[in-house]
Amino acid sequence: MIAYPAMFEKAADGGYVVEFIDIPSCVTEGDTLEEAKAMAKEALSAMLYSLDSRKKNIPDPSNKKKGKGIYYIEPDLRIAFAITLKKERKRMGLSQKEIAQRLNVNWTFYQRIENPRRTNPTLGTIIKLQNVFNRQFISL
Protein backbone atom coordinates (compact mmCIF):
# COMPACT_ATOMS: atom_id res chain seq x y z
CA MET A 1 0.00 0.00 0.00
CA ILE A 2 1.87 3.14 1.16
CA ALA A 3 4.93 3.56 3.34
CA TYR A 4 6.73 6.72 4.39
CA PRO A 5 10.48 6.98 4.98
CA ALA A 6 11.49 7.87 8.52
CA MET A 7 14.89 8.70 9.95
CA PHE A 8 15.68 6.83 13.16
CA GLU A 9 18.45 8.48 15.16
CA LYS A 10 19.99 7.28 18.39
CA ALA A 11 19.10 9.63 21.22
CA ALA A 12 21.56 10.66 23.90
CA ASP A 13 19.61 8.63 26.47
CA GLY A 14 19.92 5.46 24.38
CA GLY A 15 16.47 5.50 22.80
CA TYR A 16 15.52 6.51 19.28
CA VAL A 17 14.05 9.71 17.89
CA VAL A 18 11.97 9.27 14.72
CA GLU A 19 11.31 11.99 12.14
CA PHE A 20 9.36 11.47 8.95
CA ILE A 21 11.17 12.83 5.91
CA ASP A 22 8.01 13.74 3.97
CA ILE A 23 6.04 14.96 7.01
CA PRO A 24 8.52 16.94 9.13
CA SER A 25 5.94 17.77 11.81
CA CYS A 26 5.45 14.04 12.52
CA VAL A 27 7.97 13.11 15.21
CA THR A 28 8.03 10.40 17.86
CA GLU A 29 10.44 8.31 19.91
CA GLY A 30 10.94 4.93 21.52
CA ASP A 31 13.25 3.27 24.01
CA THR A 32 14.17 0.45 21.61
CA LEU A 33 14.21 0.20 17.82
CA GLU A 34 11.13 -2.06 17.90
CA GLU A 35 9.25 0.33 20.18
CA ALA A 36 10.30 3.31 18.02
CA LYS A 37 8.95 1.54 14.90
CA ALA A 38 5.63 0.83 16.66
CA MET A 39 5.41 4.43 17.87
CA ALA A 40 6.27 5.65 14.35
CA LYS A 41 3.37 3.66 12.88
CA GLU A 42 1.03 5.11 15.47
CA ALA A 43 2.27 8.68 14.97
CA LEU A 44 2.11 8.40 11.17
CA SER A 45 -1.42 6.97 11.28
CA ALA A 46 -2.58 9.78 13.58
CA MET A 47 -0.94 12.46 11.43
CA LEU A 48 -2.41 11.14 8.17
CA TYR A 49 -5.84 10.84 9.76
CA SER A 50 -5.55 14.39 11.09
CA LEU A 51 -4.47 15.80 7.72
CA ASP A 52 -7.29 13.96 5.95
CA SER A 53 -9.98 15.01 8.44
CA ARG A 54 -8.89 18.66 8.13
CA LYS A 55 -8.85 18.35 4.31
CA LYS A 56 -5.15 19.20 4.21
CA ASN A 57 -2.79 17.97 1.52
CA ILE A 58 -1.33 14.56 2.27
CA PRO A 59 2.14 14.36 0.74
CA ASP A 60 3.02 11.36 -1.38
CA PRO A 61 5.70 9.22 0.24
CA SER A 62 9.12 9.50 -1.33
CA ASN A 63 10.54 6.11 -2.21
CA LYS A 64 14.11 6.88 -3.09
CA LYS A 65 15.36 7.61 0.40
CA LYS A 66 17.85 4.99 1.51
CA GLY A 67 20.64 4.84 3.99
CA LYS A 68 21.57 4.05 7.52
CA GLY A 69 18.77 4.73 9.96
CA ILE A 70 16.02 5.08 7.34
CA TYR A 71 13.07 2.74 7.61
CA TYR A 72 9.81 2.75 5.66
CA ILE A 73 6.79 2.86 7.94
CA GLU A 74 3.30 1.82 6.87
CA PRO A 75 0.32 3.53 8.50
CA ASP A 76 -2.68 1.63 9.85
CA LEU A 77 -4.22 -0.40 7.02
CA ARG A 78 -7.59 1.36 7.14
CA ILE A 79 -5.98 4.77 6.92
CA ALA A 80 -3.64 3.68 4.13
CA PHE A 81 -6.49 2.11 2.16
CA ALA A 82 -8.82 5.12 2.40
CA ILE A 83 -6.09 7.63 1.57
CA THR A 84 -4.82 5.55 -1.36
CA LEU A 85 -8.35 5.38 -2.80
CA LYS A 86 -8.82 9.12 -2.45
CA LYS A 87 -5.46 9.88 -4.08
CA GLU A 88 -6.18 7.50 -6.99
CA ARG A 89 -9.66 8.95 -7.52
CA LYS A 90 -8.27 12.49 -7.59
CA ARG A 91 -5.44 11.43 -9.90
CA MET A 92 -8.08 10.13 -12.31
CA GLY A 93 -10.01 13.41 -12.01
CA LEU A 94 -13.20 11.70 -10.81
CA SER A 95 -15.69 12.58 -8.09
CA GLN A 96 -16.90 10.22 -5.41
CA LYS A 97 -20.27 10.12 -7.19
CA GLU A 98 -18.62 9.03 -10.45
CA ILE A 99 -16.74 6.22 -8.71
CA ALA A 100 -19.95 5.16 -6.93
CA GLN A 101 -21.71 4.96 -10.30
CA ARG A 102 -18.91 2.83 -11.74
CA LEU A 103 -19.17 0.52 -8.73
CA ASN A 104 -22.96 0.49 -9.01
CA VAL A 105 -23.35 1.57 -5.37
CA ASN A 106 -24.86 4.67 -3.80
CA TRP A 107 -22.67 7.68 -3.15
CA THR A 108 -22.86 7.49 0.68
CA PHE A 109 -21.60 3.90 0.57
CA TYR A 110 -18.55 4.94 -1.43
CA GLN A 111 -18.04 8.02 0.74
CA ARG A 112 -17.64 5.72 3.79
CA ILE A 113 -14.96 3.70 1.98
CA GLU A 114 -12.84 6.83 1.56
CA ASN A 115 -13.24 7.75 5.23
CA PRO A 116 -10.23 6.37 7.20
CA ARG A 117 -12.33 6.06 10.35
CA ARG A 118 -15.23 4.22 8.69
CA THR A 119 -13.71 2.22 5.84
CA ASN A 120 -14.33 -1.51 6.05
CA PRO A 121 -14.90 -2.83 2.52
CA THR A 122 -15.68 -6.45 1.85
CA LEU A 123 -13.41 -8.54 -0.32
CA GLY A 124 -15.97 -8.27 -3.12
CA THR A 125 -15.92 -4.47 -2.88
CA ILE A 126 -12.11 -4.43 -2.92
CA ILE A 127 -12.11 -6.51 -6.11
CA LYS A 128 -14.62 -4.10 -7.72
CA LEU A 129 -12.48 -1.14 -6.65
CA GLN A 130 -9.38 -2.73 -8.15
CA ASN A 131 -11.25 -3.14 -11.43
CA VAL A 132 -12.58 0.44 -11.43
CA PHE A 133 -9.17 1.93 -10.61
CA ASN A 134 -7.31 -0.60 -12.75
CA ARG A 135 -4.76 -1.20 -10.02
CA GLN A 136 -4.18 -3.55 -7.14
CA PHE A 137 -4.74 -2.22 -3.63
CA ILE A 138 -4.06 -5.46 -1.79
CA SER A 139 -2.61 -8.78 -2.83
CA LEU A 140 -5.35 -11.36 -3.16
Side-chain angles (χ1 to χ4, degrees):
M1 189 97 24
I2 58 175
Y4 285 81
M7 174 64 76
F8 286 67
E9 293 183 10
K10 273 276 209 193
D13 64 0
Y16 290 86
V17 175
V18 183
E19 295 182 66
F20 283 88
I21 295 165
D22 302 314
I23 310 172
S25 59
C26 189
V27 179
T28 191
E29 60 183 20
D31 291 335
T32 65
L33 182 58
E34 290 74 28
E35 182 180 287
K37 285 180 180 179
M39 296 300 290
K41 179 175 184 154
E42 190 174 307
L44 176 62
S45 297
M47 179 59 80
L48 294 176
Y49 178 79
S50 174
L51 290 171
D52 183 69
S53 66
R54 293 180 292 135
K55 298 185 182 351
K56 299 286 186 181
N57 181 51
I58 296 174
D60 290 327
S62 54
N63 59 5
K64 296 180 181 174
K65 304 288 183 189
K66 294 183 180 173
K68 185 176 180 185
I70 295 182
Y71 295 90
Y72 279 80
I73 305 298
E74 294 180 357
D76 175 80
L77 183 58
R78 286 179 182 232
I79 292 169
F81 186 80
I83 288 171
T84 300
L85 276 182
K86 189 176 291 187
K87 282 185 169 289
E88 280 296 304
R89 176 181 56 78
K90 288 180 178 181
R91 184 187 62 74
M92 293 172 69
L94 298 172
S95 69
Q96 288 181 334
K97 287 183 181 182
E98 290 170 315
I99 296 295
Q101 288 171 343
R102 291 180 182 198
L103 289 170
N104 198 28
V105 298
N106 67 43
W107 169 63
T108 57
F109 176 83
Y110 181 74
Q111 195 176 32
R112 275 194 309 270
I113 294 172
E114 274 193 16
N115 182 329
R117 190 171 35 105
R118 300 185 70 200
T119 193
N120 193 17
T122 64
L123 182 58
T125 300
I126 292 170
I127 291 168
K128 286 180 184 179
L129 286 165
Q130 290 181 158
N131 289 334
V132 166
F133 286 101
N134 195 28
R135 75 162 276 193
Q136 193 170 347
F137 293 106
I138 63 169
S139 298
L140 300 174

